[in-house]
Structures are given as structure tokens and as C-alpha cells.
């Protein structure tokens, strides 16, 4: 049995801001503010969580296994809440108890891909170049027993939601994917197009593939939709938003929902759709909403349609949603103190 001196318990990916943000200790050449600004800059360019956490690892004295390395305990157990697509240990909470090699080269490549080399502090770029070919530290972990255990994930959340759906006897659930990625507004548009297209007319293209775990899931979906008239589609993952200059107020889930609402054909009386896109942490972007709803008949007036389109173009979804229908199309639940990425629920009722 382990004594308290032999056991370190760390929870990754917790709370609304995630384990990466809750465990900051920048390398000596960077201030906490510089670290924050680098991540903020990458986010504005649409960098995904894998890219963000790779860069975080290069900027930290605790991430990429460093917490485990400096811990005096020889046995370390890490209970992990996954907020990263696919649950890869090297990226969850930027991996304080899991080492996956030197990230200097990868970080430089990320900066190059987003044309940010001139926007990053010079001393950090120089540090990355100096350590680009540094030997791995794997041998430093050989004397320790490290156990990384995932206790919560998007998959677990979706399975729980599907279970509640079954218990309600209202509609039949179908989990499409836990790996949803892409530009939020495009995902919202393509998802509605997918749902409202006859299953026999669907072709497994790149635009459709992102909504399914694999091709076999897509094929099961085609059969499922043919056999059921009322059902609930469940998707999980994390979309991104590439911000334009002077963005308004909103978040990726609100953009996805607003784009979906604009795509719904309100003249189609054969199908009714109710969509909820929300972050499991309870907060979507710099707002007090977890996400938003989209449904048949939500936006019908031509003036409203134009206002919604303008809001979407300006990344100002929150303002539009807050000013229409008394703000009831926003989904507000407050901080949940956990984070397993985003969840999209779509209730579909086919009349024919």
C-alpha cells in the first residue's frame, strides 16, 4: 500500500479553463503575461488544442512530464479529465505527468505555419532553436512508476447523454463522433445540410467525414435514419474560430448554432430540428453562456436574417442571440467546474 509520501495525485483538464491554464510556471526567459499573449495570438489564428498545448509545453517548467520529473515521489498516479480530441495523454492539460519528447522543433513549425515568427518574443525563438536538437529526457523517468488514468472524457459524457435519452423514451440516440473539428460556422452549416439530406443521397466526402467516427459509423447512420423518424444525434469535439479584425462577442458554440439556424430551411415541413451546441465547462468564449440553441423557425424575418448574418461575419453571435427572443436562445448554466470539450445535441423529427 502506498504511503502519502509515495503518491502524487494530479487531475488534468479540470475546471473551465483547463489544466494547462491552472498549472502555469513559464520558463525563466518568459513572463506569465508573455506566455498568455502567445497562446491568445495562436487562438486568434485558429490553432487547435494539439498545437496550443505543444507550444505550452515548450514554454513551461511543469508541462510535458516535468511535474512528474521534479516530484520526489517514485510512484505517481494521475487521474485525468480529458479535454482533448482522441484523449491523447501527451496533450491533455499539456501532459504534466506524461513525457512525449522535445517539442522545440514542433513549436517552431507551428509558429511558421501561422506566420508568427516575427510576433513571438525574440528570446523565446532563440531558446527554441538552441534546444531544437536536444536529447530526450526519457531516461530521467526510468526510476519512476507513473500511472495516467483517464476518468472522464467526451466519450463518457456522450454515452451518459445517450443513456438519459433512452430512459426518456422520447427519441432514440445515435452517437456520431467524439472527434469533431473544423471552423465552427462551417460545421454548423454542413451539419444541418447533412441532417436534412435523404440518407440514400449522402456520399462519404470530406465535408461529411468529420461528423462520423469512421465510414462504418456513417453507414450505420444511413440505416439508422431510414429506420427512425424521431431521434437524437450526439456529437462531441472542439471546433475553432479564425477571428477577423475587431471581433464582437461570442464563442465557437454560439457561432456554430447561429450558422446552423441560418441554414435550416424553415419552408421544409417534413423535418423539424432542434440543436444545442455547448461547452461542458459552462462557458463559451468570453461570455456567460455555455452555448446556444438553433431550431426550425428560429430566424425567419428577412431583417433578422440579415442581422444574424452580420453578427456571424463579425464574430458577434452573443450580441445577436442576447438581443433576440429575450436572450432565451442562449444556453446559460454557469461554470460546471469540469471540461470534456463541447457537445452538440440535435433532436430530429421527420414527418414523413
Amino acid at each position: 500500500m502506498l504511503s502519502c509520501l509515495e503518491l502524487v495525485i494530479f487531475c488534468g483538464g479540470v475546471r473551465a479553463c483547463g489544466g494547462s491554464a491552472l498549472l502555469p510556471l513559464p520558463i525563466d526567459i518568459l513572463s506569465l503575461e508573455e506566455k498568455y499573449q502567445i497562446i491568445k495570438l495562436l487562438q486568434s489564428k485558429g490553432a487547435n488544442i494539439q498545437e496550443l498545448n505543444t507550444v505550452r509545453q515548450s514554454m513551461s517548467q511543469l508541462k510535458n512530464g516535468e511535474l512528474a520529473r521534479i516530484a520526489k515521489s517514485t510512484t505517481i498516479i494521475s487521474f485525468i479529465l480529458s479535454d482533448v480530441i482522441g484523449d491523447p495523454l501527451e496533450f491533455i492539460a499539456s501532459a504534466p505527468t506524461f513525457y512525449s519528447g522535445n517539442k522545440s522543433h514542433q513549436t517552431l513549425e507551428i509558429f511558421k505555419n501561422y506566420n508568427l515568427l516575427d510576433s513571438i518574443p525574440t528570446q523565446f525563438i532563440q531558446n527554441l532553436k538552441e534546444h531544437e536538437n536536444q536529447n530526450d529526457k526519457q531516461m530521467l523517468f526510468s526510476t519512476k512508476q507513473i500511472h495516467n488514468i483517464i476518468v472522464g472524457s467526451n466519450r463518457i459524457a456522450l454515452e451518459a447523454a445517450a443513456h438519459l435519452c433512452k430512459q426518456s423514451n422520447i427519441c432514440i440516440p445515435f452517437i456520431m463522433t467524439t472527434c469533431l473539428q473544423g471552423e465552427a460556422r462551417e460545421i454548423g452549416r454542413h451539419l444541418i445540410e447533412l441532417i436534412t439530406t435523404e440518407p440514400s443521397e449522402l456520399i462519404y466526402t470530406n465535408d461529411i467525414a468529420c461528423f462520423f467516427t469512421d465510414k462504418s459509423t456513417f453507414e450505420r447512420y444511413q440505416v439508422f435514419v431510414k429506420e427512425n423518424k424521431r431521434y437524437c444525434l450526439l456529437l462531441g469535439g472542439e471546433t475553432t474560430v479564425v477571428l477577423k479584425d475587431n471581433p464582437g462577442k461570442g464563442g465557437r458554440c454560439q457561432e456554430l448554432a447561429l450558422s446552423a439556424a441560418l441554414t435550416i430551411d424553415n419552408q421544409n415541413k417534413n423535418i423539424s430540428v432542434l440543436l444545442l451546441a455547448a461547452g461542458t465547462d459552462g462557458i463559451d468564449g468570453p461570455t456567460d453562456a455555455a452555448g446556444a440553441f438553433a431550431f426550425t423557425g428560429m430566424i425567419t424575418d428577412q431583417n433578422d436574417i440579415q442581422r444574424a448574418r452580420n453578427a456571424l461575419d463579425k464574430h458577434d453571435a452573443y450580441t445577436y442571440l442576447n438581443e433576440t427572443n429575450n436572450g432565451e436562445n442562449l444556453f446559460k448554466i454557469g461554470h460546471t467546474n469540469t471540461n470534456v470539450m463541447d457537445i452538440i445535441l440535435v433532436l430530429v423529427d421527420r414527418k414523413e
Side-chain angles (χ1 to χ4, degrees), residues 36-49 51-52 55 109-120 182-184 239-247 252 315:
Y36 169 75
Q37 291 299 333
I38 290 171
I39 293 302
K40 187 177 179 180
L41 185 59
L42 282 166
Q43 289 174 327
S44 72
K45 298 295 184 179
N48 61 36
I49 190 65
E51 293 169 323
L52 292 173
V55 173
E109 288 300 308
I110 291 169
F111 290 152
K112 288 177 184 176
N113 290 340
Y114 289 104
N115 297 315
L116 293 177
L117 285 174
D118 294 334
S119 304
I120 305 300
E183 176 72 16
T239 60
T240 53
V241 175
V242 178
L243 293 174
K244 300 176 184 176
D245 292 336
N246 303 313
R252 58 180 179 254
H315 306 295

Side-chain angles (χ1 to χ4, degrees), residues 2 10 18 66 82 85 88-89 96 142 157 170 199 202 205 240 283 304:
L2 298 174
F10 178 82
E66 288 298 303
S82 173
I85 288 173
L89 290 175
S142 60
I170 295 175
L202 292 172
T205 62
T240 53
I283 299 298
D304 274 347

Side-chain angles (χ1 to χ4, degrees), residues 13 19 35-36 42-44 118 165 172 191 199 206 241 265 328 331-332 338 346:
K35 182 171 183 261
Y36 169 75
L42 282 166
Q43 289 174 327
S44 72
D118 294 334
C165 189
I172 303 170
L191 179 58
N206 288 335
V241 175
D265 180 4
E328 293 184 5
F331 181 57
K332 297 183 179 182
T338 189
V346 191

